[in-house]
Amino acid sequence: STHAGGSNVKKERRAMNNAPIGVFDSGLGGLTVWRELYRKLPHESLIYYGDGKNCPYGDKNREEVTAYVDLAVRRLIDRGVKLIVVACNAATAMAIDHLRRNYALPLVGLEPAVKPAAMASRSGVIGILATAATLNGRLFRETSQRYADRVKILTQVGEGFVELVESNREQTPEALARVDKLLRPMLDAGADQIVLGCTHYPFLSAAMRRVIGERRVDLVNPAAAIERQAEALLRRFDLPAEPEHTPQDDFMTSADETYRQRLIAKSEQVRTMDID
């Protein structure tokens, strides 16, 4: 009776295909990746989870972060997601191995875009702005070693950057001063590619461009590459939503309703924002 069941299987598969994609971050930063998914995958429903209660992750240890991420992933799975994008460099650095061992659904992680920066550099010097957790992580160390003979890699912890974004202070003189302080030494050392190694950092790209000024320097935002990877996994596992599917967007948080409303407001801002 396999024949009779065929149409049910198809219907079931379609229901699965139209299930949402989960996007997870420690806070608001992952919206820079969410935006890319929102733009390039117009038929897909998205559920964004911002762990506002425990943000930032960059100064926390592996056990803490793994526990936070594990809880968030379970909550997203309870909501029926078909794929999860871990849109947080620190969470990827500390918890992606744990997630891959413990969960069967497709996962997309994030690591600093050392390779594209190394390939594109004209000066032979690239700068990586990231959290301490990311810079100390295995993924970053391994990738850096691979390109160390091709380019000089400068690293800088983006101290205070996440907090500026989480408190909506990206456009303030304080933000500009902080960006100037951390970015200028890399520029003075000849870096012509600045890798944004935390999803919060693209929110500060306007301040960065002011500090860069007339120099020929590229900001490397991995969001587009992450979207392509998510799209490739959807295809590989036969999960793209139906073209006629009407997508729903939803926002979840470990924090309070005020924070959830801030996520929604920031998502509306980020749709039209120039942060590339």
Side-chain angles (χ1 to χ4, degrees), residues 146-165:
R146 222 170 300 146
Y147 295 96
D149 55 346
R150 179 188 277 268
V151 288
K152 182 177 179 189
I153 300 173
L154 308 173
T155 59
Q156 172 63 57
V157 174
E159 292 157 25
F161 283 6
V162 171
E163 291 82 350
L164 284 167
V165 173

Side-chain angles (χ1 to χ4, degrees), residues 4 14 59 61 74-75 106 118 208-209 244 257 261:
R14 180 176 303 173
D59 53 0
N61 68 43
R74 287 209 302 273
R75 287 190 62 192
M208 290 179 194
R209 291 199 188 286
E244 64 274 14
E257 181 57 24
Q261 292 304 325

Side-chain angles (χ1 to χ4, degrees), residues 53-74:
K53 191 167 97 180
N54 302 303
C55 186
Y57 281 3
D59 53 0
K60 293 185 169 64
N61 68 43
R62 181 184 298 271
E63 286 68 32
E64 288 177 280
V65 169
T66 300
Y68 299 148
V69 176
D70 197 68
L71 182 65
V73 164
R74 287 209 302 273

Side-chain angles (χ1 to χ4, degrees), residues 54-116:
N54 302 303
C55 186
Y57 281 3
D59 53 0
K60 293 185 169 64
N61 68 43
R62 181 184 298 271
E63 286 68 32
E64 288 177 280
V65 169
T66 300
Y68 299 148
V69 176
D70 197 68
L71 182 65
V73 164
R74 287 209 302 273
R75 287 190 62 192
L76 284 167
I77 288 172
D78 287 346
R79 294 288 303 273
V81 299
K82 60 186 173 183
L83 174 145
I84 292 178
V85 177
V86 182
C88 176
N89 293 79
T92 302
M94 293 193 269
I96 199 78
D97 293 340
H98 165 85
L99 296 179
R100 293 213 156 109
R101 277 196 306 273
N102 289 282
Y103 297 100
L105 87 172
L107 294 156
V108 181
L110 217 61
E111 56 182 297
V114 177
K115 180 184 175 179

Side-chain angles (χ1 to χ4, degrees), residues 105-184:
L105 87 172
L107 294 156
V108 181
L110 217 61
E111 56 182 297
V114 177
K115 180 184 175 179
M119 305 306 250
S121 180
R122 302 170 298 275
S123 67
V125 184
I126 67 171
I128 318 284
L129 284 168
T131 63
T134 298
L135 295 175
N136 296 329
R138 176 181 63 80
L139 285 172
F140 176 69
R141 283 204 308 272
E142 287 174 4
T143 313
S144 300
Q145 279 157 9
R146 222 170 300 146
Y147 295 96
D149 55 346
R150 179 188 277 268
V151 288
K152 182 177 179 189
I153 300 173
L154 308 173
T155 59
Q156 172 63 57
V157 174
E159 292 157 25
F161 283 6
V162 171
E163 291 82 350
L164 284 167
V165 173
E166 286 289 319
S167 56
N168 283 324
R169 286 179 294 154
E170 305 94 298
Q171 310 294 335
T172 59
E174 178 195 0
L176 186 61
R178 165 71 43 179
V179 167
D180 187 86
K181 181 182 177 211
L182 301 184
L183 195 56
R184 194 170 291 278

Side-chain angles (χ1 to χ4, degrees), residues 208-243:
M208 290 179 194
R209 291 199 188 286
R210 283 182 64 184
V211 173
I212 289 165
E214 296 300 304
R215 297 179 178 93
R216 279 185 66 202
V217 174
D218 302 318
L219 295 178
V220 186
N221 177 358
I226 298 309
E227 185 281 323
R228 287 194 295 274
Q229 172 67 7
E231 210 170 328
L233 286 177
L234 290 176
R235 279 200 303 271
R236 186 192 307 168
F237 293 104
D238 202 15
L239 292 172
E242 302 289 307

